[in-house]
Amino acid sequence: MRFRNALLLGAAISLLSGCAMGGGTNAPPASASNNNAASATPASDPVNPNPFPSTYRAYPSQPTAIVGGTILDGEGARIDNGTVLLRDGRVEAVGGADLAIPAGYTRIDARGRYVTPGIIDIHSHLGAYPSPAIASTSDGNEATSPTTPEVWVEHSVWPQDPGFGRALVNGGVTSLQILPGSANLMGGRSVVLKNVPARTVQGMKFPGAPYGLKMACGENPKRVYGSRGRMPSTRMGNFAVNRQTWARAAEYRRRVDAGERVARDIGMETLADVLRGNILVQNHCYRADEMVQVLDMAREFGYRVSAFHHAVEAYKIADILADNHVCVAMWADWWGFKLEAYDSIPENIALVERAGGCAIVHSDDENQIQRLNQEAAKALAAGRRAGINITDEAAMRWLTINPANALGIGERTGSLKPGKMADVVMWNGNPFSVYTRPERVWIDGAVMYDMYDPAMRPVSDFELGQPGEGDTK
Amino acid sequence: MSGRLFARAAALALLAGAAIGALPAAAQDVAITNATLVIGDGSAPIAQGTVVIRAGRIVAAGANVTVPQGMEAVDAAGRYVTPGIVGGFSRVGLIEIDAVDGSNDADASESIYGPAIDIAPALNPLGVPVGVNRMNGVTRALVFPGASAGLFDGRGALVDLGSDHNMVTRAGLFQYAELGETGAERAGGTRAAAILTFRTLLAEAAEFARNPAAYDGRSRDALLNRADAAALGRVLDGRDRLFIKVSRASDILAVINLLRDYPRIKATLVGAQEGWMVAGEIAAAHLPVIASALTDLPANFEQLAATQSNIGRMRAAGVTVGIGLVDDNETHRLAYARQYAGNLVALRHVAGATGLDWDQAFATITSGPAAAAGVDDVVGTLRPGRVGDVVIWDGDPLEVTSAPAMVWIDGVAQSLVSRQTELLRRYMEPREGNLPNAYDPR
């Protein structure tokens, strides 16, 4: 069932249902790092803010010049016949044909090709709902209480999910956020990963990325808990439980920040860090009216929503969302699988863009994550057909800098700017075409995929010794 | 609102006036000229082609076709003109919203009936998904029953997506059976039990067919009631084609083996994610396949070898293949078949992969599904005698940025207005004006 995450069938739930900052090639942590929480915690009650630190290290790389391609830099600029220099895992320089290429650089011919930042999926359940999708691996929803801010999805993520590799080779995805599911109003902490295979989740964790808190509006929480005869069984119940929980979190935070001794409450630690601005709210919400109510609730308790996810009715309130500086992560054309997805229109993303909002294309799906560029192309074309003129270079932001900013990693990746991580895709044509594929993908400057080299594709442990091992998938 | 946006909104408003619920009358006779004409049979596009539709059917299509005297002609201005997309696996018309039970007529797993369930009377031609798929160029579809309690889910139909009150082209066209993991579960737990059950059900159907009056569907041993026995009799003698869902290579071989005992059954495989591993055997057994094109993950233990090269490799082995959205977006987004076919074209550039050329890829979403259902004499190409389902596209029809400019179904020009275009019209400018948005100036 492809909708298991978005639709979240009740049946599916009951059935299945050291150095945080990395190595020398990594930039300092974003200002929103959860490490800030430490300063607010009294010394008498030390709480390690980062008990599962990233051990990700960039793989070895060569100084590289990608020459002659059409560059879409991820922040809305385009350079024809451009040159991108990568060195020591970073973007070193981006320019036109006149940009000098130092001696000793591996030269990549990008003529006829497009060069973009790596694709970033802000909404994935890879690893937590991995392939194979069986009861043994169904670890995305702790659907035993409507608020579970105490769970951290990284403890569910199985790094051997073959879906990570598919997202890399077919989709050019270099970073992604793994979220808990949407059964709960507060589903738990998310984790941001670099899409590089590793033995451990820590080995994939994006160094210094802030955590997110998954929240969910609407049908899913009320259905899951209402069907069990407990609160919430209505949308008003959803808000009541949320507000009561935020009120508790505000009190918890007040006591901790005042230096009072409190028994550790793992869930409240997460919510208090949301209120401190260290953890970013990623809010599953379909309907326009509910999103605006969530914005009021956020104001009431003094937190920000970083992004609404799914948001099929964002176009109805595109002006309000832009005024509130909330990013909006959307599908190009999913609709109709439940009532709150009934009013989806293909122009949704373009209308959010036109209103001056922060539009993002997300997948929520192990298949669609493999072609987010095509999803963006559909949204772009639907917008143009409706008379909304959006350039290719502007639309590339939907897949790169916009999700990076909504994840709090926009200073580190998400565009081809000097000093940023060298997360780069060279496409064999215009990425907004069905006929285009990732030809080569670099992550932190290291080549992780080459379309022409069958050895340059990850094969997960699960697929070893199985039919089709090592096949082009 | 800019002038251009306003013009667009006004145009949509004009269209809308004549749209929702207003059902067109008879087919017009029409010729479409100056087309990049795609016949849909795997042949290359024809430059400056013409297609002629008369009395709802194709009468001619090609390079040297003249427009009959007095017939209305539409100049395609060089754009692609193709047969409408044929949904190879769908539930369009059966489901409005998946998670709204009352609007979902796919599954009947609590019914006492299985194979006898004929989905045709449940179809709702005025459902929003019908209109949305239509405006995306899908003109015809194979509609499958959802789950039953047993191995045989019921009788599916070929439907049209025209804006009228009758969407049935061929009711009872085929029977749908599910083997593999699903069949094993329904048969009590194992694949072996499923195969035994399959054989026993068909034996009882044969017994019924020999002497219906004597068949005791209520005996303690009987697995089939009379209605279900009669329905399976239609499979046994080849009147209804049998679609069999199966994924794993060994399960496909088991089905091929099983079918040897039933020479009159006309069968088609559905899913066949590991079909590429036994493509030669599938071809030799003359089994067509409805496959989902881009499945490439080991979503379960019966498709560990799933790859996007599946269709390309099966086609290379000589298997007739149509794309279907098998357990995918089979109600709301049938036009994904276009995107999937386009991906198979792109796949040719990847080392070790097998894709399709453009002409073959386009055929997998028109004549491919039609041939897999045995109705390629009715639909799926622009050959003479086929239904008058024709689309003029604003670009390459396999490109995700393209959309239909005009659609005919059974020779009837179709409105491209849907609930989605109505919502767009209302919210092109979301801020309220002098009245709430609910007061649409029309």
Side-chain angles (χ1 to χ4, degrees):
Chain A
M1 183 72 196
R2 284 191 62 179
F3 298 132
R4 70 173 188 269
N5 309 322
L7 175 57
L8 211 147
L9 293 175
I13 295 172
S14 57
L15 171 71
L16 309 172
S17 347
C19 175
M21 305 316 139
T25 61
N26 295 307
S31 60
S33 162
N34 59 307
N35 283 0
N36 292 0
S39 61
T41 306
S44 59
D45 189 16
V47 171
N48 178 355
N50 192 21
F52 304 93
S54 171
T55 57
Y56 171 78
R57 294 287 187 282
Y59 278 84
S61 59
Q62 305 296 322
T64 300
I66 307 167
V67 183
T70 302
I71 299 169
L72 307 179
D73 79 345
E75 293 192 23
R78 171 195 181 108
I79 303 172
D80 293 314
N81 191 19
T83 296
V84 178
L85 301 182
L86 313 179
R87 185 188 175 89
D88 297 333
R90 306 294 189 87
V91 176
E92 183 180 33
V94 178
D98 54 342
L99 182 67
I101 300 169
Y105 278 57
T106 301
R107 198 181 167 101
I108 305 294
D109 182 3
R111 286 174 299 173
R113 299 167 174 85
Y114 278 63
V115 182
T116 74
I119 303 302
I120 299 174
D121 190 1
I122 195 173
H123 195 118
S124 172
H125 300 288
L126 289 180
Y129 280 120
S131 302
I134 54 178
S136 313
T137 62
S138 178
D139 289 318
N141 271 297
E142 183 55 45
T144 51
S145 164
T147 57
T148 56
E150 65 271 35
V151 306
W152 297 24
V153 78
E154 65 200 77
H155 301 137
S156 278
V157 171
W158 180 44
Q160 298 298 339
D161 182 355
F164 289 116
R166 304 289 195 280
L168 172 71
V169 306
N170 293 331
V173 172
T174 56
S175 298
L176 66 172
Q177 174 173 238
I178 311 301
L179 290 155
S182 52
N184 300 347
L185 298 165
M186 296 173 174
R189 285 199 196 197
S190 69
V191 66
V192 182
L193 304 176
K194 302 282 296 200
N195 194 14
V196 175
R199 289 175 292 159
T200 65
V201 176
Q202 293 92 322
M204 298 178 75
K205 284 179 74 173
F206 192 112
Y211 279 106
L213 171 68
K214 172 71 178 287
M215 294 187 68
C217 294
E219 288 190 25
N220 290 357
K222 84 181 193 102
R223 181 178 62 249
V224 170
Y225 295 98
S227 69
R228 299 174 195 175
R230 60 178 292 192
M231 197 172 180
S233 67
T234 59
R235 284 182 164 83
M236 60 187 173
N238 286 350
F239 273 83
V241 174
N242 273 328
R243 293 178 69 227
Q244 192 64 57
T245 308
W246 283 123
R248 284 179 51 216
E251 173 62 10
Y252 183 88
R253 177 202 178 184
R254 186 193 64 75
R255 294 181 61 195
V256 171
D257 289 358
E260 292 181 32
R261 268 204 170 277
V262 295
R264 281 194 69 184
D265 183 319
I266 303 296
M268 285 295 144
E269 285 176 5
T270 290
L271 297 183
D273 255 355
V274 172
L275 297 176
R276 293 183 188 109
N278 298 327
I279 292 179
L280 307 177
V281 171
Q282 310 288 350
N283 206 321
H284 157 124
C285 210
Y286 286 75
R287 249 170 46 181
D289 53 327
E290 284 183 280
M291 285 188 266
V292 177
Q293 288 183 317
V294 166
L295 291 175
D296 275 349
M297 177 167 66
R299 263 187 291 275
E300 179 186 11
F301 292 98
Y303 70 90
R304 276 198 65 237
V305 177
S306 188
F308 284 117
H309 295 231
H310 309 338
V312 302
E313 292 189 6
Y315 66 95
K316 297 184 182 180
I317 51 166
D319 51 332
I320 299 171
L321 293 169
D323 290 347
N324 281 274
H325 307 288
V326 184
C327 288
V328 193
M330 296 159 280
W331 297 292
D333 56 10
W334 282 24
W335 76 281
F337 43 95
K338 54 181 172 174
L339 185 64
E340 64 188 1
Y342 200 40
D343 284 10
S344 170
I345 63 172
E347 297 80 7
N348 193 27
I349 293 169
L351 287 168
V352 169
E353 171 79 19
R354 187 189 62 159
C358 164
I360 295 167
V361 183
H362 72 359
S363 81
D364 187 23
D365 183 79
E366 65 277 20
N367 293 300
Q368 215 151 75
I369 194 175
Q370 299 179 45
R371 40 192 169 271
L372 281 171
N373 60 310
Q374 294 174 29
E375 299 310 302
K378 286 191 277 188
L380 181 58
R384 288 173 177 168
R385 208 168 280 117
I388 304 166
N389 291 311
I390 300 169
T391 60
D392 289 357
E393 49 270 34
M396 183 49 65
R397 289 152 51 242
W398 304 343
L399 302 170
T400 56
I401 194 66
N402 287 358
N405 285 335
L407 292 171
I409 55 175
E411 302 293 316
R412 318 271 309 280
T413 187
S415 64
L416 300 179
K417 293 290 181 188
K420 283 194 169 183
M421 293 170 166
D423 299 340
V424 183
V425 181
M426 183 172 76
W427 307 82
N428 70 340
N430 184 320
F432 300 106
S433 165
V434 76
Y435 300 121
T436 297
R437 301 197 46 110
E439 181 173 326
R440 194 179 285 239
V441 181
W442 294 261
I443 299 181
D444 285 306
V447 177
M448 301 308 294
Y449 173 62
D450 179 344
M451 185 171 85
Y452 300 113
D453 182 357
M456 285 307 297
R457 292 171 196 152
V459 178
S460 90
D461 289 359
F462 180 74
E463 299 191 275
L464 280 183
Q466 297 278 20
E469 171 192 341
D471 193 9
T472 308
K473 297 292 188 179
Chain B
M1 184 181 281
S2 74
R4 185 169 172 193
L5 291 179
F6 181 77
R8 171 70 185 179
L12 287 171
L14 274 177
L15 273 172
I20 309 284
L23 304 178
Q28 314 107 292
D29 295 342
V30 63
I32 303 161
T33 63
N34 195 17
T36 300
L37 192 65
V38 180
I39 301 298
D41 56 2
S43 58
I46 299 164
Q48 294 186 316
T50 296
V51 54
V52 178
I53 310 170
R54 176 177 280 154
R57 296 198 173 262
I58 308 293
V59 294
N64 300 309
V65 172
T66 49
V67 180
Q69 192 74 36
M71 186 179 279
E72 181 198 352
V74 174
D75 183 352
R79 291 177 292 185
Y80 279 92
V81 174
T82 74
I85 307 306
V86 178
F89 185 100
S90 87
R91 303 222 159 83
V92 67
L94 286 185
I95 298 174
E96 183 70 24
I97 299 172
D98 300 77
V100 175
D101 286 348
S103 79
N104 184 333
D105 279 311
D107 291 353
S109 45
E110 289 169 41
S111 172
I112 60 168
Y113 298 106
I117 296 172
D118 180 342
I119 59 98
L123 293 165
N124 176 20
L126 302 189
V128 175
V130 177
V132 170
N133 284 307
R134 175 171 61 231
M135 63 177 264
N136 283 296
V138 181
T139 58
R140 203 83 39 170
L142 299 170
V143 180
F144 283 66
S148 71
L151 297 182
F152 294 92
D153 293 333
R155 305 178 70 201
L158 174 68
V159 307
D160 74 72
L161 278 71
S163 179
D164 57 50
H165 286 298
N166 177 18
M167 66 189 296
V168 175
T169 309
R170 291 275 179 88
L173 178 65
F174 60 91
Q175 178 65 234
Y176 185 39
E178 299 187 67
L179 290 172
E181 288 185 5
T182 304
E185 187 184 332
R186 297 206 196 141
T190 68
R191 286 172 166 80
I195 297 291
L196 173 62
T197 305
F198 186 99
R199 288 183 181 280
T200 307
L201 293 174
L202 290 182
E204 290 187 5
E207 185 189 332
F208 176 88
R210 278 192 296 275
N211 188 349
Y215 180 76
D216 183 3
R218 292 188 175 85
S219 85
R220 286 165 59 95
D221 283 346
L223 297 178
L224 278 179
N225 60 47
R226 297 176 62 85
D228 284 343
L232 286 188
R234 301 181 62 85
V235 172
L236 272 178
D237 64 18
R239 279 176 292 167
D240 292 359
R241 182 170 282 269
L242 179 61
F243 281 71
I244 305 173
K245 188 175 163 197
V246 66
S247 301
R248 199 170 75 182
S250 67
D251 290 338
I252 293 169
L253 294 177
V255 165
I256 291 172
N257 204 30
L258 183 64
L259 289 172
R260 288 200 181 99
D261 295 343
Y262 305 94
R264 295 173 71 192
I265 289 183
K266 287 187 291 198
T268 298
L269 302 181
V270 176
Q273 287 87 343
E274 294 190 345
W276 66 273
M277 303 181 81
V278 290
E281 288 87 342
I282 296 172
H286 303 290
L287 285 169
V289 175
I290 297 284
S292 190
L294 302 184
T295 305
D296 64 0
L297 282 163
N300 50 52
F301 278 80
E302 61 183 353
Q303 58 177 66
L304 295 174
T307 167
Q308 295 187 12
S309 294
N310 190 35
I311 286 181
R313 291 172 184 167
M314 288 196 292
R315 283 287 299 129
V319 179
T320 298
V321 184
I323 289 178
L325 297 185
V326 183
D327 297 333
D328 192 343
N329 304 297
E330 77 271 21
T331 300
H332 297 96
R333 285 163 289 158
L334 294 175
Y336 272 31
R338 296 199 288 124
Q339 182 181 359
Y340 292 178
N343 273 272
L344 296 185
V345 177
L347 197 62
R348 290 176 305 164
H349 301 291
V350 181
T354 310
L356 297 176
D357 67 30
W358 193 97
D359 306 333
Q360 285 185 321
F362 191 81
T364 62
I365 59 175
T366 52
S367 60
V375 291
D376 45 335
D377 58 338
V378 177
V379 67
T381 62
L382 298 182
R383 290 185 187 144
R386 273 46 170 201
V387 294
D389 294 3
V390 180
V391 180
I392 302 179
W393 302 87
D394 67 7
D396 173 348
L398 298 187
E399 180 57 88
V400 284
T401 51
S402 302
M406 297 181 77
V407 176
W408 287 263
I409 297 177
D410 287 321
V412 179
Q414 301 290 318
S415 161
L416 299 184
V417 171
S418 72
R419 189 166 180 278
Q420 293 187 342
T421 60
E422 290 286 89
L423 283 162
L424 171 64
R425 183 172 58 81
R426 172 169 286 184
Y427 285 100
M428 275 301 282
E429 174 49 69
R431 288 185 185 84
E432 290 82 357
N434 293 326
L435 278 171
N437 290 333
Y439 295 76
D440 276 325
R442 284 183 183 265

